Structures are given as structure tokens and as C-alpha cells.
């Protein structure tokens, strides 16, 4: 168990370039399996989830070199489609390889990714979509085997705009004969970026970012290099840290149109936020206005991944805020840890009423998931005294160097 130590009370000021996006690079790495050649990705974050995905891709035959944020993958000889069970347990989003491996090898085997601390996270929509494209899915309790001698394009309507299911269906559709249409597709920036990558690889995709995506399969693919966009959630996390400390920061390397709902929320908290196309600046006097209602929703709504860092921010709010979590039922558990720091948060089902406090105090707390761990760091930089965040390995899955990043802005934080 690692411990992230934070000495609070130091305003965060200065400029920082934001790392590449975890939730963009993972599906793009899966997409690279579809091309029998070399793919190069730049601005790749050096985070645990990327190393885990590298381990899985090497297990199925991809040759990989990863150094200094540049990832070169040679998928010329991908033989088998079995995802190692231990990797699935470590990173449930490995399920997004199902469509790519099925499309590439005609068979994909994985174990149930299982739920995690933020929710049950079923994969029924993934399996339904692949079945509609002609895959035969068999389950033996622990393993899921998807086989398809030939995938065919289909008209697939998702009951929920699931990001992962949209990604899996998109990747299978690349190898399917004919046209696939996804209705009620996810609109997240990660889907837009994946479709931009596929287009660059030679796949005709239309409608990315809308609820209806149309993709033509079985096209000639080509060698591609692609730059991973900045991580909008890491950027939002650091804006929250700056706000609670009464700081002033300028974050670069992120495509701010992807952050519109997050920027709106910070302005609602009374922060002075300005932005350009690839940068966002926030100035705060340390006073945070309460926000009557923050409701998470699929894009372009307020992102569920920002809900935890925002709860930490509102714990310093001037009044009562209400947070409604509509995506992951387990995401409000963070309140219990913030309460150890003096936060006053009442949770009822999927809603949390946060009565802001002038100050929180340092404490020994525990990261329950990736974004909760980062949110505790947000609360800690604004708190009086020292906080120790016991982390079983979550934070480094998504934050390349939260310590160095916040240190570079004047924070006192170290592993
Ligand atoms: C992706 O998870 C992200 N992960 C999550 O980020 C993010 O919170 C989520 O999208 C929503 O934006 C990655 O990209 C690796 P979903 P995913 O399928 O694909 C239900 C982080 O912190 N659902 O859109 O799993 C599901 O239970 C992570 O970086 C089904 O019911 O999200 C949930 O309630 C956390 N059946 C909702 O949809 C399915 O088959 C959203 O899930 C699939 C999903």
C-alpha cells in the first residue's frame, strides 16, 4: 500500500502541461490491433493502465516499444485472442479489446471484468452489440469466449450510451462486412478521438460525437501515427486543487471544448476561469460558492469522473451543495473519507448534500478508487496540516505524476 502525503495550505500557482488522456489512449491502443503493421502514438501518459494494456497486447503477439510518452506497436503477427485473466482483474477496461481481437483473429477470450468499487459495471451492452454483428458468445462462468468466422455490419441501438460498449462495437465494425450504425452511441470526447484515429487509419466513420455513428468495415487500413489528446479529467482535478488553495494556474495541452461542462461548473463555484483552444486558466480567492445541484450525465453533461474531485471542492463551499450521481452507483463513498477530514456530507442513495466548511483538517484517509484518491489529494492541499492518503495502487493508474505536477505548482505533496 503506497501513501501519498500532503501538507496543506500552500496556494497552487504557475503553469503546467497536462498529460495525455488515459481514457483516449486505451481504446486507441486496442484499435491498433486491427492493423497488421506498425502504429505510433505520441503524448501517451506513462500510467499503470497503459503498462497493463501493453502487457495484454504483448500477450496476444503485439511487439511494443514505449519510451518518453511515445508508443510504437507492431501488430503484424497477432495470433491469439486470449486476454490474460490477471490483467482483466487489474484493469476492467481491458474488455474493450474484445471487439478488436474478435475483428482481428475471429476469436476473443476474456474473463468477466467484474465490478469495482464505483459500481457493478455490467457488460451486457457490449455482448449484445457483438452478438448482433454475428459473434457467438459462450460463457463458462469465469470466461467469456466470443467467436465469429465473419462479422457483419448491423444496426445496433444501445439502451444506454455506454462508452465502452460504443468502443467495442466500433472496433468490431472495422472488421465487419458492410455498414454498422450505432444508435444512442456515446458522445464522449474519447469516442470522438477514437473515431478520428480510425479515420486516419483509413476507416470511413461518420457521426462521431453525435448519438448516431455510421462505420464502413473491411477497408484497407494504413500505418498511422496519432497524438493522444490531453486528459480532461486530470486537468479538472488540478483546477479543483488550485481552487481550494486560492491559487492561480494555467494548464496547457488540453482541448478545452471537451471541458465545457467542467468549466461552467467551476465558474458556478465563483472561480475566475478563462480559456483558449488548448489551455485553461483558473484564479480563485479560496472562497468557493456552493452549487445548488451538480448532476452527472453522459457527455456533454457533467462527467462522472469529475464528480469526486468536485465533491472535494464543494466540501469547502460557502453553503450547501447537492451532488447527484447518475452513472456509477458506488461513486459517493468518497464522502466517508472526506468526513475524516471534517467534511459535512450527507449521502442518500445517489445524492450527496455537502455543507461546506471553512477549513478541513489533515487526516489518515484511504483511496477507494482512482478518482476518489485524486479527490482526497484535492481536499488535502486545501486542508490544515498533513494528510496521508493510503492508496492500494489506484492513483497511479490514471495520474502519471500527481506529486510532481502539484509540487511544480507549489504544493507540498510526495509519495
Ligand atoms: C468509461 O467507463 C471510462 N473508462 C470511465 O472512466 C468513465 O467514468 C465512463 O466511461 C463514463 O464516462 C474508460 O474509458 C477506461 P460506460 P465505461 O460503459 O466504458 C452502464 C475513470 O475513472 N453499463 O459508459 O465502463 C454502467 O453500469 C473511469 O477514468 C451497462 O449497464 O462506462 C454504468 O452505469 C471510471 N451495461 C454506465 O453504463 C454495459 O454493458 C456507464 O458505463 C455497459 C455499461
Amino acid at each position: 500500500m503506497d501513501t501519498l502525503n500532503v501538507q496543506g495550505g500552500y496556494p497552487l500557482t504557475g503553469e503546467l502541461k497536462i498529460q495525455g488522456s488515459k481514457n483516449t489512449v486505451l481504446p486507441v491502443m486496442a484499435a491498433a490491433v486491427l492493423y497488421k503493421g506498425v502504429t505510433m502514438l505520441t503524448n501517451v501518459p506513462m500510467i499503470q493502465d497503459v503498462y497493463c494494456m501493453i502487457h495484454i497486447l504483448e500477450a496476444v503477439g503485439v511487439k511494443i516499444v514505449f519510451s518518453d510518452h511515445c508508443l510504437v506497436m507492431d501488430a503484424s503477427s497477432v495470433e491469439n485472442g486470449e486476454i490474460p485473466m490477471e490483467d482483466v482483474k487489474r484493469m476492467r477496461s481491458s474488455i474493450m479489446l474484445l471487439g478488436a481481437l474478435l475483428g482481428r483473429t475471429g476469436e476473443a477470450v476474456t474473463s468477466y471484468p467484474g465490478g469495482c468499487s464505483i459500481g457493478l459495471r455490467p457488460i451486457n451492452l457490449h455482448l449484445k452489440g457483438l452478438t448482433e454483428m454475428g459473434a457467438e458468445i459462450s460463457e463458462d462462468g469465469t470466461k467469456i469466449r466470443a467467436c465469429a468466422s465473419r462479422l457483419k455490419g448491423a444496426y445496433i441501438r444501445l439502451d444506454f450510451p455506454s462508452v465502452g460498449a460504443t468502443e467495442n462495437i466500433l472496433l468490431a465494425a472495422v472488421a465487419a462486412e458492410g455498414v454498422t450504425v450505432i444508435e444512442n452511441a456515446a458522445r464522449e470526447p474519447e469516442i470522438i478521438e477514437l473515431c478520428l484515429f480510425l479515420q486516419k487509419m483509413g476507416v470511413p466513420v461518420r457521426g462521431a460525437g453525435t448519438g448516431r455513428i455510421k462505420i464502413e468495415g473491411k477497408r484497407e487500413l494504413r500505418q498511422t501515427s496519432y497524438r493522444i489528446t490531453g486528459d480532461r479529467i486530470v486537468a479538472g482535478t488540478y483546477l479543483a486543487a488550485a481552487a481550494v488553495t486560492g491559487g492561480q494556474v494555467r494548464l496547457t495541452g488540453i482541448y478545452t471544448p471537451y471541458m465545457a461542462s467542467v468549466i461552467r461548473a467551476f465558474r458556478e463555484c465563483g472561480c475566475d476561469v478563462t480559456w483558449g483552444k488548448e489551455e485553461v486558466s483558473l484564479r480563485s480567492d479560496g472562497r468557493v460558492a456552493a452549487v445548488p445541484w451538480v448532476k452527472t450525465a453522459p457527455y456533454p453533461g457533467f462527467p462522472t469522473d469529475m464528480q469526486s474531485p468536485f465533491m472535494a471542492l464543494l466540501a469547502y463551499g460557502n453553503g450547501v451543495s447537492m451532488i447527484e450521481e447518475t452513472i456509477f452507483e458506488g461513486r459517493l463513498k468518497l464522502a466517508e473519507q472526506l468526513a475524516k477530514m471534517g467534511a459535512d456530507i450527507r449521502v442518500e442513495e445517489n445524492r450527496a448534500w455537502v455543507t461546506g466548511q471553512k477549513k478541513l483538517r489533515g487526516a489518515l484517509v484511504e483511496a477507494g478508487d482512482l478518482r476518489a484518491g485524486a479527490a482526497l489529494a484535492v481536499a488535502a492541499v486545501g486542508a490544515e496540516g498533513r494528510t496521508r492518503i493510503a492508496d492500494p495502487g489506484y492513483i497511479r493508474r490514471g495520474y502519471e505524476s500527481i506529486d510532481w505536477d502539484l509540487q511544480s505548482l507549489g504544493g507540498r505533496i510526495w509519495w
Side-chain angles (χ1 to χ4, degrees):
M1 177 86 80
D2 277 333
T3 299
L4 184 60
N5 303 277
V6 184
Q7 186 67 32
Y10 296 88
L12 299 184
T13 57
E15 183 168 317
L16 178 70
K17 179 191 168 298
I18 293 296
Q19 71 178 61
S21 162
K22 166 177 88 79
N23 293 346
T24 298
V25 71
L26 293 175
V28 168
M29 288 172 73
V33 166
L34 293 160
Y35 174 59
K36 294 177 182 165
V38 173
T39 299
M40 183 172 83
L41 304 178
T42 56
N43 197 36
V44 175
M46 300 175 86
I47 55 176
Q48 288 307 316
D49 274 10
V50 165
Y51 290 108
C52 183
M53 184 62 102
I54 287 171
H55 186 259
I56 297 170
L57 294 178
E58 287 177 334
V60 301
V62 182
K63 309 258 181 314
I64 294 181
V65 175
F66 182 36
S67 74
D68 191 20
H69 303 93
C70 179
L71 188 67
V72 181
M73 292 171 283
D74 181 351
S76 307
S77 58
V78 170
E79 295 95 23
N80 91 76
E82 176 139 12
I83 303 171
M85 186 181 283
E86 70 275 8
D87 289 316
V88 178
K89 294 300 172 206
R90 275 171 59 203
M91 185 179 72
R92 67 170 313 284
S93 47
S94 53
I95 192 73
M96 72 178 68
L97 269 167
L98 213 54
L101 288 172
L102 187 61
R104 176 65 192 270
T105 69
E107 180 180 53
V109 182
T110 181
S111 52
Y112 265 100
C116 60
S117 51
I118 63 173
L120 283 174
R121 305 184 76 178
I123 58 168
N124 58 310
L125 300 177
H126 298 241
L127 301 180
K128 176 172 174 280
L130 297 178
T131 304
E132 289 174 15
M133 297 172 77
E136 283 172 27
I137 311 281
S138 56
E139 305 168 48
D140 70 359
T142 53
K143 286 201 173 184
I144 306 168
R145 183 180 300 276
C147 301
S149 49
R150 56 185 278 276
L151 286 167
K152 53 191 186 315
Y155 177 89
I156 299 166
R157 165 174 285 282
L158 289 176
D159 301 338
F160 178 87
S162 154
V163 172
T166 302
E167 289 163 349
N168 249 328
I169 295 166
L170 276 171
L171 298 183
V174 173
E177 286 166 15
V179 175
T180 296
V181 174
I182 309 173
E183 285 289 2
N184 197 26
R187 303 163 185 243
E188 269 69 8
E190 292 74 33
I191 300 296
I192 298 172
E193 292 294 319
L194 176 60
C195 290
L196 288 172
F197 172 76
L198 292 176
Q199 283 168 341
K200 201 169 178 189
M201 205 160 63
V203 180
V205 191
R206 283 190 297 282
T210 73
R212 188 174 200 272
I213 301 177
K214 189 172 180 182
I215 177 169
E216 293 175 36
K218 283 277 186 226
R219 303 301 285 263
E220 185 71 28
L221 304 181
R222 53 178 173 256
Q223 184 167 306
T224 306
S225 67
Y226 194 72
R227 176 177 175 74
I228 299 300
T229 190
D231 194 306
R232 61 190 175 112
I233 306 301
V234 171
T237 304
Y238 293 169
L239 291 179
V244 300
T245 62
Q248 179 168 352
V249 296
R250 177 170 176 263
L251 306 181
T252 60
I254 26 132
Y255 184 61
T256 49
Y258 287 160
M259 294 187 70
S261 64
V262 173
I263 289 171
R264 262 198 308 278
F266 278 105
R267 301 185 83 175
E268 215 179 330
C269 281
C271 297
D272 175 14
V273 184
T274 54
W275 64 94
K277 193 173 172 201
E278 300 269 333
E279 62 170 76
V280 59
S281 296
L282 178 142
R283 187 161 52 85
S284 160
D285 58 9
R287 283 176 307 184
V288 177
V291 177
W293 186 21
V294 179
K295 180 176 181 180
T296 64
Y299 195 86
F302 186 80
T304 174
D305 293 349
M306 268 304 299
Q307 185 260 102
S308 301
F310 223 71
M311 180 186 280
L313 172 63
L314 293 174
Y316 289 91
N318 175 21
V320 181
S321 305
M322 193 269 277
I323 295 174
E324 182 177 4
E325 171 57 56
T326 68
I327 308 285
F328 289 117
E329 64 276 16
R331 248 193 168 148
L332 294 174
K333 285 205 286 281
L334 168 65
E336 297 158 21
Q337 298 301 315
L338 290 174
K340 294 178 184 173
M341 300 175 70
D344 178 355
I345 305 173
R346 177 169 58 86
V347 174
E348 272 179 32
E349 294 180 0
N350 70 329
R351 290 186 172 185
W353 282 264
V354 185
T355 304
Q357 310 295 306
K358 277 205 181 321
K359 271 293 167 197
L360 298 183
R361 59 180 182 274
L364 174 60
V365 291
E366 181 160 352
D369 63 72
L370 163 58
R371 303 303 174 187
L376 289 168
V378 168
V381 290
E384 284 170 344
R386 182 167 157 189
T387 299
R388 286 179 296 148
I389 305 169
D391 175 27
Y394 289 119
I395 298 173
R396 284 195 175 98
R397 289 188 48 186
Y399 292 78
E400 181 176 306
S401 53
I402 194 167
D403 51 339
W404 294 349
D405 284 346
L406 297 186
Q407 276 172 27
S408 74
L409 296 172
R412 297 290 190 279
I413 172 171
W414 65 98
W415 285 105

